[in-house]
Amino acid sequence: MAIHLRAHAFAANPLRGVSASTTAVSPSAAAEALRSLLEPGSAAADAANPHPPHLSKILPFRRGRPLARSPDPPASAPPAAPAWRLAWLPPSRVPGVAPDAFVFLGAHAEGGGKEAAAYWAVDVSDGEGPRVDGGSGDGDGPAFVDLRTLMVATDWSDNDAMGDLAIAGHARALLEWHNTAKFCGACGAKAVPTEAGRRKQCSNESCKKRIYPRVDPPGESLEEAMRRETWEETGIEVGQVIYHSSQPWPVGPNTMPCQLMVGFFAYAKSLEIHVDKQELEDAQWHSREDIKKALTFSEYEKAQRTNALKVNQMCKGAEKGQSIAEDFKVGSGEPVPMFVPGPFAIAHHLISAWAFEGAPKVPSSFSNL
């Protein structure tokens, strides 16, 4: 079973694409507009406000979890799975947060393209947090949901849901960077947000270093890194390396929460495996038949539905504890040689592409890059 997506999970952010870049809202103008809403009575901010108050939208995070909502789906036969969406709030629902704590995510045309809304994210982990119950008092409102749960709960055929997942991933990565990059690496002075949170600047007047989010480490090409990692972790020597695609991955471990995954096909020059148990649990060779069998038996749609219902219950106030691994069950009693990650992971598409299409050929001149 080959699953083809328009883009990887967490990619194709609708607030950062070509269409979004044509929306005429600059980060500085959006920041002034937001400040006028958060600090009413500021004449300077009010004069600089380029758009009405209801066009600033806030996505709160608590301990890395975005605020999401999951209304019950319309009655149908068979019953449809709930579809989650990000729960955007007006600035009035996020009181007591300093304007510099918000990070600008981008802008998007509203009302048939006549107006542009500015979208923001903010970490409310340390405070009382926003008012998120919608005033209904019935427990059927938004909830802070783990990003991995939302990832598996996303219907990959739903472009709006995939777009919301990409926005949430980008927002979490930016907020995580702000939480860790608090000081200048050159002089040690405090780093303060600027350009609506898209970068930081050293507060030391004699330094004033500009600080941007980074992808580490430098010093080697992607192809060299791929060969080195394969050799260190499996003992397999790799020759030709062919780029496949990349994927933002804002749901990594606590030590590396936000990463960029880069996928390659590679041709092995040796077959003997020596696993580094500090890095990998196991490594094995498998045939295409084994891979196709595993892809056929993995019930990805069932896992997506299970997690969609889980998000719906969390928004109703009834959180259930079940790991992502438990959600992927085998569809028959026949043993399967391996577990293949779901379509939310770049690993799934690398494995599926090799199983059903084969590795692409490259000119020999590329083999030593």
Side-chain angles (χ1 to χ4, degrees), residues 228-263:
R228 174 182 54 78
E229 290 281 342
T230 304
W231 171 257
E232 291 176 352
E233 297 180 8
T234 67
I236 297 173
E237 184 180 359
V238 166
Q240 286 185 335
V241 175
I242 309 163
Y243 174 77
H244 177 271
S245 60
S246 62
Q247 178 188 24
W249 192 248
V251 289
N254 291 334
T255 54
M256 294 185 296
C258 302
Q259 307 167 60
L260 178 65
M261 298 292 188
V262 186

Side-chain angles (χ1 to χ4, degrees), residues 106-236:
H108 197 271
E110 303 280 323
K114 297 180 180 179
E115 298 174 314
Y119 291 80
W120 301 83
V122 65
D123 188 347
V124 297
S125 301
D126 295 334
E128 295 182 2
R131 299 191 297 274
V132 300
D133 61 3
S136 63
D138 58 5
D140 189 7
F144 291 99
V145 184
D146 178 73
L147 195 54
R148 277 182 170 265
T149 300
L150 293 178
M151 174 183 72
V152 183
T154 301
D155 179 355
W156 53 83
S157 66
D158 184 341
N159 288 339
D160 290 338
M162 292 290 283
D164 271 13
L165 185 67
I167 293 171
H170 173 226
R172 182 177 187 265
L174 270 180
L175 292 173
E176 183 68 27
W177 174 70
H178 275 279
N179 287 335
T180 56
K182 295 183 177 181
F183 301 97
C184 174
C187 71
K190 183 179 180 181
V192 296
T194 187
E195 292 186 9
R198 300 204 302 178
R199 71 172 179 89
K200 288 189 169 185
Q201 183 158 322
C202 177
S203 59
N204 183 349
E205 288 294 326
S206 63
C207 179
K208 291 221 169 212
K209 179 180 176 65
R210 293 188 172 199
I211 306 167
Y212 293 91
R214 296 177 55 178
V215 176
D216 292 317
E220 63 181 350
S221 69
L222 294 176
E223 293 82 359
E224 289 170 329
M226 189 272 172
R227 293 189 183 98
R228 174 182 54 78
E229 290 281 342
T230 304
W231 171 257
E232 291 176 352
E233 297 180 8
T234 67
I236 297 173

Side-chain angles (χ1 to χ4, degrees), residues 79-101:
W84 70 270
R85 291 292 186 268
L86 294 175
W88 298 96
L89 301 180
S92 61
R93 294 271 298 280
V94 193
V97 181
D100 286 346

